[in-house]
Amino acid sequence: MQQAQYQLIIVGGGPAGLTAGLYAARDRLKVLLVEKGATGGQVLATDWVDNYPGFIEGLSGFDLMDKMAAHADRFGLAKKSATIASLDLAGEIKSITLENGEVLTATTVILCTGARPRKLDIPGEYEFTGRGVSFCATCDGPFYRNQNIAVVGGGNTAIQDGLHLTKFAQKVTIIHRRGELRASKILQEKAFANPKIDFIWNTEVLEVRGDKHGVDGLLLRDHHGDEALLKVTGLFVLIGITPNNELLLANSLQTDKGGFVITDEEMATSIPGVFAAGDIRSKRSRQIINAAGEGAVAELSVEHYLGNKAPDNSHNRSE
């Protein structure tokens, strides 16, 4: 039978991938992490991380990922910067074909391809991301104490996070393009009863405005074509997330209706030898610390899988 080049290949270099890589390299597995962009994933675009344990004063997303990468490097994690063209996860030997035609093989794979927030694609959204535009209420809500902010969206996430933001903001204005919410009735009742929440119906955001200090307003347009300026210092775009699953569609992985990979509690997918961690997983909470923890669990599951496949069942793991 063909011999795999690696015991483990990790696809994606965000917090889940880096943590899995750190564990695997420390445990002396023959492992390779493949990342098409800069190591760190979308956390690199996070202006400030204030809730990662151990960093009391907080730090930038870039600095946190830099430290995670350096930690993995300390144990000699092999990394490859390349774009993957296709994955074949079906057999006992998994193959990964790169855009340049190179084929990599491994006995196990951990998928850490992540997800991306859906965006409005309007002027100012990109320019002010991290300086007044956010896609994560849990991450950034505490930065908006006693300020007037806005939320775009009408689903469960938007309303639930809008309620969460009232713990910090002076006022939360929820802007929805329809005349009624899609959120569950109980969340709607809570939002309508909260004195800190206002609603603007049948309206879309045309532009995010601001200056060097950050966001100072939103240009709105209602369904009649009338435009108005809403003065806020923050905008939370909460219209859903999209899994980075394009590479996975050709494989028979079990996913939920949103396209996120379903795993068990040990991060095992529906394909033997394939595991998933981080935002690509079907789950409720998506935080940096979740992703890191899942990366560790996935790697430990890989060790167990490899140990069970070994002829003498004696694969050892360093502590």
Side-chain angles (χ1 to χ4, degrees), residues 128-164:
F128 289 104
T129 294
R131 297 192 303 119
V133 173
S134 174
F135 303 91
C136 179
T138 308
C139 311
D140 297 334
F143 298 122
Y144 293 89
R145 294 184 187 276
N146 302 316
Q147 298 181 43
N148 292 338
I149 60 176
V151 169
V152 174
N156 284 342
T157 298
I159 304 308
Q160 192 166 33
D161 285 5
L163 287 163
H164 173 74

Side-chain angles (χ1 to χ4, degrees), residues 7-177:
Q7 291 174 293
L8 167 64
I9 290 179
I10 300 165
V11 181
L18 285 172
T19 304
L22 184 158
Y23 270 62
R26 181 177 179 270
D27 291 341
R28 304 296 188 265
L29 291 187
K30 190 173 184 183
V31 55
L32 177 69
L33 184 149
V34 181
E35 167 60 60
K36 68 177 180 180
T39 303
Q42 64 175 326
V43 181
L44 295 174
T46 302
D47 183 58
W48 198 254
V49 178
D50 214 26
N51 60 351
Y52 199 87
F55 296 98
I56 300 170
E57 303 300 325
L59 73 173
S60 71
F62 179 88
D63 285 342
L64 178 58
M65 290 298 94
D66 191 52
K67 290 179 183 296
M68 282 192 179
H71 198 170
D73 289 344
R74 175 188 160 204
F75 293 107
L77 174 63
K79 292 181 284 197
K80 191 177 191 71
S81 179
T83 298
I84 296 174
S86 64
L87 298 174
D88 184 354
L89 304 175
E92 287 208 10
I93 302 298
K94 322 300 179 185
S95 65
I96 297 175
T97 303
L98 306 182
E99 270 195 348
N100 64 5
E102 182 182 0
V103 178
L104 307 172
T105 59
T107 308
T108 62
V109 170
I110 301 179
L111 302 169
C112 303
T113 54
R116 57 192 183 275
R118 292 180 190 154
K119 299 186 178 180
L120 298 171
D121 292 324
I122 58 173
E125 182 181 32
Y126 174 80
E127 292 82 353
F128 289 104
T129 294
R131 297 192 303 119
V133 173
S134 174
F135 303 91
C136 179
T138 308
C139 311
D140 297 334
F143 298 122
Y144 293 89
R145 294 184 187 276
N146 302 316
Q147 298 181 43
N148 292 338
I149 60 176
V151 169
V152 174
N156 284 342
T157 298
I159 304 308
Q160 192 166 33
D161 285 5
L163 287 163
H164 173 74
L165 290 168
T166 62
K167 297 177 182 179
F168 314 104
Q170 178 175 297
K171 180 171 147 184
V172 176
T173 300
I174 295 178
I175 304 165
H176 191 39
R177 59 179 178 165

Side-chain angles (χ1 to χ4, degrees), residues 220-257:
L220 309 180
R221 182 173 63 198
D222 65 22
H223 284 191
H224 300 294
D226 296 328
E227 296 183 0
L229 186 65
L230 177 67
K231 301 294 289 183
V232 294
T233 53
L235 171 65
F236 287 79
V237 180
L238 302 173
I239 55 176
I241 58 173
T242 301
N244 296 327
N245 65 0
E246 292 81 3
L247 287 170
L248 314 180
L249 298 177
N251 294 271
S252 300
L253 281 168
Q254 185 180 3
T255 61
D256 64 18
K257 63 181 181 180

Side-chain angles (χ1 to χ4, degrees), residues 194-214:
N194 194 307
K196 284 189 170 185
I197 294 181
D198 284 344
F199 290 88
I200 297 179
W201 304 101
N202 299 310
T203 297
E204 60 183 336
V205 182
L206 292 182
E207 182 181 353
V208 182
R209 293 183 175 179
D211 56 26
K212 64 180 181 179
H213 301 294

